[in-house]
Amino acid sequence: TAFTPPNAHAAATTASSATTTTTAASKNQTNIPKSIEKDLLPKTIITSFLQSQEYFRIVLLEATLHYLSAQFDALTKRSDADVDRAATTGQTLTAAQSISLQDLHEVLKAFGTGSCQERVEALWNLMDKDNDGLLDQAEMDEVVYMSVAPVEDAFRFYINDCLEVWPMRSAGMPSISADHLK
């Protein structure tokens, strides 16, 4: 069973009303003249931003895979709470030798294209080894850490990589002065 947050219905309602509001607001706005729009966002800036965003997602996926492989033992270990819950129902839990490929796919999909909430939900399902939708405190703490640690590692690598490349990219570019920012 998948984890369903208690406020999932409220979030869906809020998202649909936000879309309606955005659509209504966009109808009331005037269009920016093409000559001004071209000066505000040159195509090279938009293209560079999209390439940068794509590169960060790739770095994030790499950091996520590295982190998950380093945490394999924690991901396959049954918690004491899982064993206790199984014992109360007469079940016997065996040690996991692998993790669900579907759950791993959902985690990578969430880190590659999803939101923070989707990452936490995917990691929650990955950590829920007995598929009862329940995690103990230590597992919940691990989910929170696992949702942040790869992002932190990826961001650190990405910033260092950008700082390393900056002198090469800026060599032929004119400098930006305060006059350009007015």
Side-chain angles (χ1 to χ4, degrees):
T1 33
F3 167 71
T4 305
N7 60 352
H9 178 68
T13 304
T14 304
S16 67
S17 66
T19 303
T20 305
T21 304
T22 304
T23 305
S26 64
K27 289 179 183 176
N28 294 334
Q29 293 177 347
T30 57
N31 291 333
I32 298 173
K34 293 293 180 188
S35 61
I36 296 174
E37 182 178 336
K38 186 179 80 170
D39 291 337
L40 290 176
L41 292 174
K43 188 173 182 171
T44 55
I45 291 175
I46 293 171
T47 303
S48 296
F49 176 76
L50 293 175
Q51 289 172 345
S52 177
Q53 181 183 25
E54 184 177 324
Y55 178 63
F56 178 75
R57 289 292 184 167
I58 292 168
V59 170
L60 180 58
L61 285 172
E62 185 179 352
T64 303
L65 284 170
H66 178 73
Y67 184 81
L68 291 175
S69 65
Q71 296 297 319
F72 185 78
D73 289 340
L75 293 170
T76 56
K77 181 182 175 201
R78 304 280 185 192
S79 73
D80 292 339
D82 289 338
V83 173
D84 292 344
R85 282 192 297 274
T88 60
T89 61
Q91 298 174 342
T92 303
L93 291 180
T94 59
Q97 300 297 319
S98 62
I99 57 176
S100 163
L101 187 57
Q102 177 65 30
D103 288 343
L104 179 62
H105 178 264
E106 291 300 317
V107 169
L108 293 176
K109 181 179 167 186
F111 273 90
T113 61
S115 66
C116 185
Q117 179 178 348
E118 291 168 332
R119 280 183 246 152
V120 170
E121 288 175 2
L123 288 166
W124 183 287
N125 292 332
L126 184 66
M127 288 296 291
D128 183 21
K129 294 161 200 78
D130 59 356
N131 296 319
D132 64 356
L134 302 173
L135 297 180
D136 63 14
Q137 184 65 47
E139 290 172 319
M140 285 189 286
D141 292 344
E142 186 64 25
V143 165
V144 170
Y145 186 74
M146 286 172 60
S147 68
V148 174
V151 176
E152 179 184 356
D153 291 345
F155 192 65
R156 185 175 290 117
F157 177 85
Y158 178 77
I159 293 297
N160 288 335
D161 203 29
C162 290
L163 291 174
E164 204 172 290
V165 171
W166 173 251
M168 290 184 287
R169 291 195 51 121
S170 63
M173 298 176 70
S175 62
I176 297 176
S177 66
D179 294 335
H180 288 95
L181 301 176
K182 290 182 182 178

